Amino acid sequence: MHPAELAILLHRALEVRMAHLLERLEMPAWETDAEGLHQVRVSARRLSAVLDLVDAEAYAGHKGHRRTLKQLVTALGPTRELDVHSAALQALHHTTNTPLQAASLEHLEDRLDRARAKARRAMKKDLAELSLRDLPRLLKVANLPHPFQAVSLQDAAWTALEPRLAVLREIRDLASQEDAAALHKSRVQIKKLRYTLEAMEGAFSESPVDLLLPLRDLQTCLGSHHDLAALENWLWDQEAHLRNEDRATLCGGVLDLLGCIAENRRTAFERFTVLVREAPVADLPGALRRTLGLPPLADSSA
């Protein structure tokens, strides 16, 4: 169980993030708006990050609400990815150099529009099966048993935070060789670490916002890399489909576009390697402990 101070701090973070999610869910036609959908997904993830920190046994229905949020994020995922693909293809119109590339883009955008419409229909069906209106009940039934413990807020915050710092030890290894799946996994872990720090900001003597800047830059870079890698995979699928239909001309145009996307993906990875060299991620655990007012660990790597 968390000591009372940390339990209260996390409950307040839970209230704020619940309010943000509910506000976005009430926005008109958010399901059909790419940015609105994205904001709902981000809000659900921020709320989930706090639910992962609280004492689950102190909240009735915690497991069910956590499952609902996970299902919400999952339901929105395919549509979000196709929205990102659509924006990327539209941006490519400004860099196409040949009529063949332009014709291939128009064909791909037509296929993508149909796929997006299909994904939104499936998403709407999935959303109808979720009990999103029940989410606020999580806040009404919280209780904090055994609140008096001989543990400071700062020590308790570090105990909750430390396991989420493991990603910092893995980042430098990721810069040695491009691995899209591993990079995406680390991006998710970095995002969760940022959300955790934001939720526990009240435990710090000074705001850890400045300490988050290198993480934010890394996350943004890895997000660009992931979007390009996912688009590249989608384009290969489209090229295979066209090849099976003996549409060699359009295949050639798609291959040209694939070359551009692959080059941009490699550039994003190179940018990541530069950020890893420049970012003081290895010093972040120690900096966090200092900002919490805690002594350094015996292990100098922390």
Side-chain angles (χ1 to χ4, degrees), residues 239-284:
E239 191 274 339
H241 181 81
L242 290 168
R243 189 169 2 100
N244 290 335
E245 294 182 341
D246 293 328
R247 306 185 72 174
T249 302
L250 285 176
C251 273
V254 173
L255 289 172
D256 285 346
L257 295 171
L258 271 164
C260 296
I261 297 300
E263 182 178 354
N264 291 340
R265 172 184 49 75
R266 288 190 292 268
T267 299
F269 178 70
E270 291 168 1
R271 172 61 178 160
F272 169 72
T273 62
V274 171
L275 287 175
V276 168
R277 289 196 298 269
E278 296 177 348
V281 291
D283 300 330
L284 183 57

Side-chain angles (χ1 to χ4, degrees), residues 196-261:
T196 298
L197 285 170
E198 291 169 356
M200 296 196 298
E201 185 174 354
F204 291 81
S205 58
E206 300 176 11
S207 173
V209 169
D210 289 343
L211 299 178
L212 295 175
L213 293 178
L215 293 181
R216 186 177 290 110
D217 292 341
L218 286 168
Q219 179 188 324
T220 299
C221 183
L222 289 175
S224 298
H225 182 274
H226 171 70
D227 291 344
L228 290 164
L231 177 58
E232 189 176 4
N233 289 335
W234 185 80
L235 287 173
W236 277 119
D237 288 341
Q238 303 311 306
E239 191 274 339
H241 181 81
L242 290 168
R243 189 169 2 100
N244 290 335
E245 294 182 341
D246 293 328
R247 306 185 72 174
T249 302
L250 285 176
C251 273
V254 173
L255 289 172
D256 285 346
L257 295 171
L258 271 164
C260 296
I261 297 300

Side-chain angles (χ1 to χ4, degrees), residues 38 41-42 45 80-81 84 167 170-171 174 179-195 215-228 230 272:
H38 174 57
R41 199 161 183 254
V42 170
R45 281 179 162 165
R80 171 59 184 168
E81 183 168 278
V84 172
V167 63
E170 304 167 357
I171 287 177
L174 292 172
D179 182 335
L183 290 168
H184 177 57
K185 181 179 178 181
S186 288
R187 176 199 173 212
V188 172
Q189 291 173 334
I190 290 172
K191 191 182 299 184
K192 289 181 177 179
L193 174 57
R194 282 188 53 226
Y195 293 166
L215 293 181
R216 186 177 290 110
D217 292 341
L218 286 168
Q219 179 188 324
T220 299
C221 183
L222 289 175
S224 298
H225 182 274
H226 171 70
D227 291 344
L228 290 164
F272 169 72

Side-chain angles (χ1 to χ4, degrees), residues 11-75:
H11 186 77
R12 288 173 177 167
L14 203 65
E15 290 177 327
V16 170
R17 283 150 184 78
M18 179 73 77
H20 286 172
L21 175 58
L22 295 177
E23 179 182 355
R24 284 162 174 75
L25 286 172
E26 291 174 0
M27 293 174 59
W30 64 264
E31 303 99 325
T32 59
D33 175 65
E35 182 59 23
L37 185 150
H38 174 57
Q39 291 303 322
V40 167
R41 199 161 183 254
V42 170
S43 296
R45 281 179 162 165
R46 287 183 181 275
L47 179 56
S48 296
V50 183
L51 276 181
D52 288 342
L53 292 169
V54 302
D55 288 317
E57 59 269 28
Y59 290 84
H62 178 281
K63 184 177 180 180
H65 290 299
R66 185 66 183 83
R67 182 171 57 249
T68 296
L69 288 170
K70 183 177 181 180
Q71 290 171 339
L72 173 59
V73 171
T74 299

Side-chain angles (χ1 to χ4, degrees), residues 92-93 95-106 249 252-254 256-257 260:
L92 281 174
H93 273 296
T95 60
T96 52
N97 299 316
T98 68
L100 177 57
Q101 289 180 345
S104 298
L105 270 176
E106 290 179 4
T249 302
V254 173
D256 285 346
L257 295 171
C260 296

